[in-house]
Every structure is written in structure tokens, then in C-alpha cells.
Amino acid sequence: MIKTENMRNLKNITAVILTYLIVCLSGNIVYSQTIIPRPNKVQFQKKYFRFSKTISISSTDNSFDDLIPGFIESVERYASLQVKKKEKSQIVLIRNTNIKETEGYLLSVSPNKIRIEASSQKGCFYGLQSLIQLLTFSGESGKISCQIIEDSPRYSWRGFMLDESRHFFGTDEVKKILDQMAFLKLNKFHWHLTDAQGWRIEIKKYPLLTEIGAIGNHTDPKAPAGFYTQEEIKELVNYAAARYIDIIPEIDMPGHATAAVKAYPQFSGGGSERYPEFTFNPGETGTYTFLTQILREIADLFPYDYIHVGGDEVSFGNQKWTQLPGVRKIMNQENLTDLSQVEHYFLQRMSDSIQVIGKKVIGWDEVVSAGLNNNRTLVMWWRHDKPEVFQSALKNNFQVIMCPRIPLYFDFVQDENHTFGRKWDGKFAPVRSVYEFPSIQFAPESAFKNPLVKGIQANLWSETVKSTQRLEFMLFPRINALSEAAWTNDEQKDFDDFESRLIKMFDVYKNENIEYFDFTSETPANEWK
């Protein structure tokens, strides 16, 4: 961030601090909110809840008892407080069936007690995340302003996608990301596990996918095989589920298939000079059997309703399809006139296979024109320069997740002075742009109220991300802006206030050994190139 921008930010932060000090000097209590994402309704009261280094918790509902061990671990980890489970306690978890939103909660802080009410475990979990932050950011004061928070999310889909095909990061790093997602009430982890550079998940029926297809990455095509075993996948799926995060696997097809067909070349549909062996062969019956058997194993590993099939950028490498006898045969039999129709034929067949194994399809926005069933297909709008595709998806009654490159691709640089990473015609993805999404600057106006729009997601592609330090630097602190954009209603959003809360997160990152971009610093950032 340029110097003048830093000065502006510091002036805003100073103004907030001075406002608080003035309130203190006037003899009143400071009613500051430290939670990210900012709750949608808060009423402050002129008292404090005071606590010492030990705090107690209980539940009036047996199902909420399951949440207490995780809360204890998080409070001890982030706030350095000891928590004990006691029958008569300071914190009480209560099931309240009058709270209609599944992810909603009511958090009441009075001088002697904190109550969290929800109609579901998920809602109670999010109330606990808010309390963890209140305790963490209370500092040395040992007190929290009394308040009543009535909260529920703006969007049901609050997602982050990690690409591990281009570079592989491993179990510990994924857990670290999942922990921070839970802290911020993000609930969908989209996992890009296959692409041209590497196949990253064990498939027992086809062991060569990892023995051969997992070798290499974007930087080094001869790098040792990096992939997740099925046991590691199960571990991470359970780890995420305990944090109310669904993991959505992406198995890319019919393009971005290079790693797979390197292992099983009999299913290759060829490619182009720039993208060799880029596609699966849509004219070979065995291709559909091969992919369906893979997806059966995927479905057994991931309990969430959806499997992401990609479906993007197929034209990068489908030029040889017309030379394949099987493709020509299908074109004649099905009266297909061009290769885009062959692509759609492929996606329709795989969509049918996915339905048979009990799942639904997610695809990038190219699938809007593929003739898929809108009742079992979710579309991710990523081409920010093609708003007409977004409009077409809504017109054809597809549910849509908004994840446009600008501003929600986190491999784009986050400051104009950063030199390593992507830009789009000079545009990039600073914290403020992420925070302000989905403003009219970045999305069609029809996005804001249409019930078919289920949420937003940031995507981190890893061509320029070859280390965990670089991964974290590109993700933090922008993930905080993502969480507030996804959770908080427009009328409650205030970027200057958000910045003052965001700075408090830096201490969490330091304690967790997380790299991050400090936008307040005058020193040029280490971009971990």
C-alpha cells in the first residue's frame, strides 16, 4: 500500500481510538465490537461481564455438550484462559427452537452470566466463535461489555477454495486454514485436487493416478509425488466437520486432465501445443467408466451433497477431438455440430453418473450452456468480465456462487506495490475490494436480492504460490474481509471500523505462526516469491 494510503488508514484508526477514549473520559463504558465478521444486530448495555483466568461453561442440552471441548481448546489457545465444565457456570448453552435460522444465534452478556441460544448445534457453534473472539480481544481488562447479539449470516455459502494441484501443501497447512475459517464462520472448503500439474488424491482402483499423476508441480515437473491418502482425506473431512465446514472436492473434467491421462493415456483426448494432453477422450466409452469409478470413491470419502467437476477452459486443448473416431461417431449419432456440443454431451453424461451415485454437480460458469439439470447443478460464476453469463445462470434458474476473479481471486496481488502475482488490466484484489463485494462495482445489481444467489467464495490458485509462507501471505488478512462480506448485511458494514478490528487479528497470526500482509507497515512486504 502506498504511503498516502497508509496515512489515511492510520488516521481512520486513530479517529476510532480517540472516539473510544472520549467516551471513556466522559465516564461512560466503551461499547466496542471486536468480532469478525461483524454481527448483524448488537445492543450494548452500561455494564461489564468480568472474568478471571478461569471461566466455567455448561449446557442445558445434551447435544450442545459436544461443542464444549472444542470451545475449551479454542479459548485456551487464543485467549489464554482456563475453562472448566461445571453444573453452575458463567457460560450457558441453551437450545432455543424459536430461533428459526439454522446458523443463527443469540448471545447475551450480562454482569454475571453469558448465554448462547440457538436452535441447532451449528448456530450454537457460531455463537461460541463470537464469544471466543470477545474473550480473545478483551486484552488484559478481564471484562466484556454487556450486550445482546442477535445474529445470522447473509449468505448460506461462505467459501474458500485452495488449489493443491499446482503446488501441494499438506495436512498440517489445511488444518491451519480450516481453524481460521471456523474462527471466522466460513463454512465451505472447496478443494481443487486435480489438474494438469498433479493428481492429489489416492484412488484405490487406479493407483497410477498417484504413483505417476502426483509427480511434479507447477514449478518442478519432477518433484516427488505429493498427494493425500484416503485415510488423510477422512481425517481432514472429519476435522472440517467438527468445525461445521463442508469439504467439496473438485475432480476436473473434461479439460485440465493432463496429470490423469499421464497415468492412464488410453483415456486421453489430446491437447494443443500450449496445453498438451489436456483433455479426456469424450468418444471413448471407457472414459466414462473410468471417471465414474473414480467419482464413486470420491463420493464415499466426502459426505457433502456436491462434487465439483470443473468444466472450464476445455477449448484450450480439445483441438484433436475431431481426429478421434469415437468423437466423430458420437457427433454423427447425436447430431452434434461442433466441439462445444461434444463438451456438453460429455458433461451431461457425467452429470447423470453423479446423480446415480447420489450427488449433485458443481461447475464453473461455462456449464451454464451445457444443458444440465438446474435442480442438481450449482454454478460458480468466476469470469468477472462476463456478467452476461451470471445473468444467464439466474435466467435459467441455476443456483449461483459468486467468485469473480476481481476481487475474489486471492492469487491476484493485494497491493499495487506488490510485484509478484497476477493483475487483470491493472486491477487486483486489495482487502477493501474484497470487503466491499458484492457492490455494484464488482457484480450485477441482480446479484444482491436474488434467492438463487447462495453465497460467495474466494479462490486461491497456486501457480505463483509454492510455499506455505506465500500461501498464508496471500490469504491473510484478506480471509477476514471475505468472512464479513459473506456474513454481514450491507447496512452493518463499515470499512474503517473493520480495519480497526482487523488489526487486532495480527496478534492471533503471530501466536499461530501465520504469515500475513501487514498493510499498516511502511516497510516493503516480504512476498515470499
Side-chain angles (χ1 to χ4, degrees):
M1 191 173 289
I2 59 177
K3 186 174 181 180
T4 54
E5 184 71 5
N6 270 331
M7 292 302 295
R8 182 191 66 79
N9 291 335
L10 290 173
K11 286 179 181 178
N12 289 332
I13 294 165
T14 301
V16 172
I17 293 171
L18 286 174
T19 300
Y20 289 170
L21 288 174
I22 290 169
V23 175
C24 283
L25 292 172
S26 69
N28 295 322
I29 290 174
V30 179
Y31 304 133
S32 61
Q33 188 56 268
T34 58
I35 298 169
I36 298 177
R38 187 177 186 177
N40 281 304
K41 185 176 181 182
V42 183
Q43 294 178 320
F44 287 102
Q45 299 169 345
K46 294 183 178 181
K47 292 182 180 179
Y48 283 122
F49 172 84
R50 299 179 184 274
F51 58 91
S52 61
K53 287 295 181 182
T54 301
I55 196 166
S56 57
I57 186 170
S58 65
S59 171
T60 63
D61 189 288
N62 291 336
S63 67
F64 287 176
D65 283 347
D66 297 338
L67 302 173
I68 292 176
F71 173 76
I72 291 173
E73 178 185 348
S74 294
V75 171
E76 292 179 351
R77 174 178 174 178
Y78 295 120
S80 300
L81 296 174
Q82 296 296 313
V83 184
K84 297 185 180 297
K85 185 177 178 182
K86 292 184 177 180
E87 186 174 341
K88 293 183 178 180
S89 59
Q90 296 160 288
I91 302 168
V92 182
L93 311 181
I94 302 167
R95 183 177 292 277
N96 182 346
T97 56
N98 292 321
I99 297 174
K100 301 305 180 185
E101 298 86 356
T102 302
E103 296 184 299
Y105 66 91
L106 176 66
L107 192 160
S108 306
V109 181
S110 62
N112 300 311
K113 194 173 289 291
I114 296 174
R115 295 160 54 97
I116 296 177
E117 301 175 45
S119 59
S120 71
Q121 285 182 314
K122 187 180 294 186
C124 187
F125 177 81
Y126 292 138
L128 287 169
Q129 300 314 300
S130 291
L131 179 56
I132 291 165
Q133 291 195 31
L134 289 175
L135 294 169
T136 299
F137 300 124
S138 63
E140 299 297 325
S141 66
K143 55 188 179 182
I144 300 171
S145 299
C146 290
Q147 56 195 281
I148 299 174
I149 298 175
E150 296 179 66
D151 203 14
S152 60
R154 177 180 185 177
Y155 291 119
S156 61
W157 186 292
R158 305 178 300 280
F160 169 67
M161 187 220 75
L162 177 63
D163 166 24
E164 287 208 73
S165 176
R166 275 67 179 221
H167 288 101
F168 181 76
F169 304 107
T171 299
D172 290 344
E173 190 64 19
V174 171
K175 285 182 177 180
K176 186 184 286 191
I177 292 170
L178 292 171
D179 284 344
Q180 294 305 310
M181 288 179 66
F183 198 53
L184 298 169
K185 304 184 181 77
L186 295 169
N187 65 349
K188 308 292 182 186
F189 180 69
H190 172 184
W191 213 357
H192 190 79
L193 290 165
T194 74
D195 212 302
Q197 291 83 352
W199 185 282
R200 305 301 182 198
I201 181 169
E202 177 189 23
I203 302 296
K204 293 186 181 296
K205 190 171 184 64
Y206 297 105
L208 297 183
L209 286 171
T210 46
E211 291 176 18
I212 295 175
I215 294 173
N217 57 44
H218 188 78
T219 305
D220 178 7
K222 296 183 179 180
F227 65 93
Y228 293 98
T229 67
Q230 292 199 0
E231 288 306 308
E232 288 172 324
I233 293 289
K234 291 174 184 176
E235 177 189 356
L236 286 167
V237 166
N238 290 334
Y239 192 88
R243 289 151 181 79
Y244 293 89
I245 297 171
D246 298 313
I247 297 185
I248 299 95
E250 181 176 354
I251 308 299
D252 230 328
M253 60 183 77
H256 294 279
T258 309
V261 300
K262 181 171 64 173
Y264 293 92
Q266 63 268 40
F267 304 120
S268 175
S272 62
E273 183 177 353
R274 185 176 178 184
Y275 301 97
E277 305 304 323
F278 187 71
T279 63
F280 290 111
N281 184 350
E284 170 60 51
T285 300
T287 300
Y288 300 98
T289 302
F290 171 69
L291 290 171
T292 299
Q293 289 172 334
I294 288 171
L295 293 178
R296 286 188 183 278
E297 290 195 32
I298 295 294
D300 288 340
L301 292 168
F302 296 92
Y304 188 55
D305 292 343
Y306 287 91
I307 294 175
H308 202 303
V309 298
D312 61 313
E313 300 177 331
V314 181
S315 62
F316 287 7
N318 66 357
Q319 290 82 352
K320 293 184 179 180
W321 281 4
T322 55
Q323 302 171 22
L324 302 174
V327 172
R328 293 199 299 269
K329 181 179 178 180
I330 287 173
M331 292 182 74
N332 289 330
Q333 289 177 342
E334 303 294 329
N335 295 317
L336 308 179
T337 59
D338 57 38
L339 293 186
S340 67
Q341 291 183 359
V342 176
E343 174 189 334
H344 297 164
Y345 169 84
F346 174 96
L347 289 170
Q348 289 165 15
R349 283 191 63 168
M350 291 312 305
S351 176
D352 290 342
S353 294
I354 289 171
Q355 182 184 19
V356 169
I357 62 178
K359 298 289 185 178
K360 298 178 182 179
V361 171
I362 303 180
W364 300 110
D365 62 35
E366 286 93 333
V367 306
V368 170
S369 58
L372 303 184
N373 186 320
N374 58 20
N375 289 323
R376 47 187 173 90
T377 306
L378 186 62
V379 172
M380 287 190 167
W381 174 60
W382 67 279
R383 291 180 290 177
H384 72 281
D385 54 330
K386 292 187 180 295
E388 68 276 9
V389 177
F390 176 85
Q391 301 284 16
S392 178
L394 297 181
K395 183 178 179 181
N396 287 283
N397 292 314
F398 285 100
Q399 293 185 351
V400 178
I401 306 302
M402 299 184 292
C403 52
R405 284 171 295 208
I406 300 296
L408 295 182
Y409 270 28
F410 282 3
D411 48 315
F412 280 66
V413 300
Q414 53 194 316
D415 185 277
E416 63 182 359
N417 291 322
H418 292 176
T419 60
F420 191 60
R422 300 174 65 195
K423 290 184 179 179
W424 184 280
D425 291 335
K427 297 178 182 178
F428 51 99
V431 167
R432 183 164 196 150
S433 294
V434 177
Y435 183 83
E436 291 177 349
F437 190 82
S439 67
I440 195 66
Q441 179 183 1
F442 301 115
E445 192 169 2
S446 58
F448 302 113
K449 301 295 183 182
N450 195 308
L452 289 170
V453 176
K454 295 302 177 183
I456 68 175
Q457 176 174 294
N459 301 328
L460 181 48
W461 303 99
S462 63
E463 287 94 335
T464 63
V465 182
K466 61 182 180 180
S467 68
T468 57
Q469 293 93 336
R470 169 90 178 151
L471 167 61
E472 292 169 7
F473 174 81
M474 298 302 281
L475 181 55
F476 301 98
R478 284 189 288 190
I479 192 173
N480 293 269
L482 172 70
S483 77
E484 193 145 321
W487 183 282
T488 306
N489 296 328
D490 280 339
E491 56 269 24
Q492 300 300 326
K493 290 169 66 176
D494 181 309
F495 184 73
D496 292 336
D497 173 71
F498 170 73
E499 271 194 335
S500 69
R501 287 177 284 124
L502 181 57
I503 291 171
K504 297 177 185 293
M505 289 294 297
F506 292 177
D507 287 336
V508 172
Y509 298 152
K510 291 171 185 174
N511 292 336
E512 294 289 302
N513 294 315
I514 292 173
E515 296 295 336
Y516 65 97
F517 171 46
D518 183 352
F519 57 84
T520 68
S521 175
E522 296 286 339
T523 305
N526 180 358
E527 298 180 54
W528 299 99
K529 297 179 181 179

